[in-house]
Amino acid sequence: QRAVPDSELTEFQGRMHLFISSLLCVLTAVTSQFNDRQAEGTCFSKSHHANYGSDETSLDQEREDFEEAEATSKCSLLQVKDRLHRRHDGVQESSEVSVVPAPSTVVRTAGSLMLGKAPLLAIEAASEKSRRAFEEHVLTAMEGASSVEAGNEGNATLVQLRLAESSNFAEEGYSLQVTQDKVVLEAGTEHGLFNGLMTLHQLLQSDSGKWSLPLVKIEDAPAFEWRGLMLDVSRHFFPAKDVKRLLKTMALFKLNHFHWHLTDDQGWRFPVEKYPKLISLGSHRRATQKGHEASSGEDDTPYDGSYTEVEIEDIMKLAATLHIEVVPEFDLPGHSEAAIAAYPEMGNSDSDNPWAPEVSTKFGAMPYTLSPSKKAENFTSAILAEMTHLFNSSSYIHIGGDEVSRDQWTRSKVAKEVAEEEGVSVNGIEGKMLEHAAGHLQGLKRHAIVWDEAMSSGADLPSGTVVMLWRSWEGLSTLGNRAKARNFPVVLAPQSNTYLDQWQSDGGRGEKYDAIGGYLPLSKVYDTPLSAGGARVLGLQGQLWSEYIAGGGPDLDYMAWPRGCALAEAGWSGSKKPGYLDFKERLKHHLADFKRLGVNYHSVDTSV
């Protein structure tokens, strides 16, 4: 080692002093800029999800950014340091918060919470229910991840799930904050916490097996309380595994009502202890219509399918963990040929000669209706009572009321006598039958749901009855005002925007599976109407009628997704939804979720 001359030491000290002074000036300017940004946040509305800046592709670029920041004070040293740190760890930060449905408000700050490979996460949960939901829906999405109770062996809390004792949270609302130290999710209800966990799942990012979360603060709640899908299992049957996959996918996108269309002319699908022939006879048909016209003939292949009590119980338990309400449907007094084939005495057997009901092999509404006799009334009451036990957590039971033929009643002596006793015309019989069914449900502490034709049946339906508006050609405003006049809340289910059995490409070009016809692209579902005259709108629902969903579970998935995601955002965000192109950009980040769930989704055109 050589001695340093005094002159060189003095020169070196001077240069260091100049360097430190200059660096302090830069730091002062940068810190000021950073504090301004911290105070202001990076809050954006739903229509600006893409404005998060860009993500560079090399360490050299990051160093150039650092030098530029020093020279221009355009970004904070803390931001640059964090980005360099993340680059060294091999994890790139996504430039977007790609959550579907879009949260109400998001504050995005630079950086990520680094979780690493196969992370061990210390969790502090408000309840065992929320802990299980975290493990099932967040932890399992990260390969090799595991959890431990916070505080054990000195593990600092990384994830906090809080139930606010007194809060202003909406029923399904939540707040979620991800910082560089932890995740804090808070809600006023378990359902709110669950919704927040679905968002947390969607925020997860992976690069080479290393997991991270973007730094965000989210405040979120739905615009509408009812966001659902209906599945018809009568025309074509879907086993329990397909129903469960549908429910799990619904939950990821915060859909919360599953309308289960269990009975129709073409098959009865759930057991009723008092009437076992509903399954032994009513669930089997001897053949199925070929093609789209009844004149096309039949395939001569026997078709059947039904659920056991154990399967239904299992599905109900799963739905409860996913915070999805199951709404079973017993369609009456029309769409009843399968029930009448099993128990002919419940139909209008004096209306025709010969009179030969069978489980229908044709599609469309059949002329067979339940009789208004006392025997058929008791039949209906007994089935509804058993439904309240089988679907014990369902507060609503759908009783149909659509496409009811009056033809057999006009030729039935029994029906004419009942009409005279009730002081109505034959056309008023439907209303009286729906009145009885809905009133019986009210006595069982359940609410009835009907299709919109029921409002024209003359039925004096009880308070709390919900009407599903589906006949869009009648005008949603007209139907909604009719419901408002009777004080009925409504669920919007317009054929024009929510019937998911229609083609997804114009004319069905390039489609893998059949469809009933029409044309319902993703964009049109996204633009589902949100109002109906002056009616109180509970929410929106998509319909999966299954006459032409004949390809099993893969066909069902293909028709439901991603159109169900568009409906989910319309129902969650309401009039504040950020727009179709923004939605489609976020949606493409969730195709991996479909694959993870085994969902055979329809392709998404990601071009603008």
Side-chain angles (χ1 to χ4, degrees), residues 18-40:
L18 180 61
F19 171 77
I20 291 170
S21 298
S22 300
L23 182 58
L24 285 173
C25 289
V26 171
L27 283 171
T28 300
V30 169
T31 301
S32 175
Q33 181 76 13
F34 173 72
N35 287 338
D36 289 343
R37 291 191 178 190
Q38 282 290 93
E40 177 180 288

Side-chain angles (χ1 to χ4, degrees), residues 2-15:
R2 72 179 183 93
V4 180
D6 289 345
S7 58
E8 289 183 28
L9 183 60
T10 301
E11 181 181 2
F12 173 76
Q13 290 172 334
R15 287 179 179 177

Side-chain angles (χ1 to χ4, degrees), residues 33 51 58 153 185 196 221 266 279 283 299 355 458 489 509:
Q33 181 76 13
N51 297 332
S58 70
E153 298 180 4
L185 172 59
Q266 294 78 17
I279 293 299
S283 68
D299 62 11
W355 187 75
R509 288 191 299 271

Side-chain angles (χ1 to χ4, degrees), residues 189-205:
T189 64
E190 291 281 359
H191 197 170
L193 282 179
F194 184 83
N195 287 332
L197 289 173
M198 295 302 99
T199 295
L200 188 62
H201 170 102
Q202 291 193 20
L203 288 173
L204 286 170
Q205 298 169 7

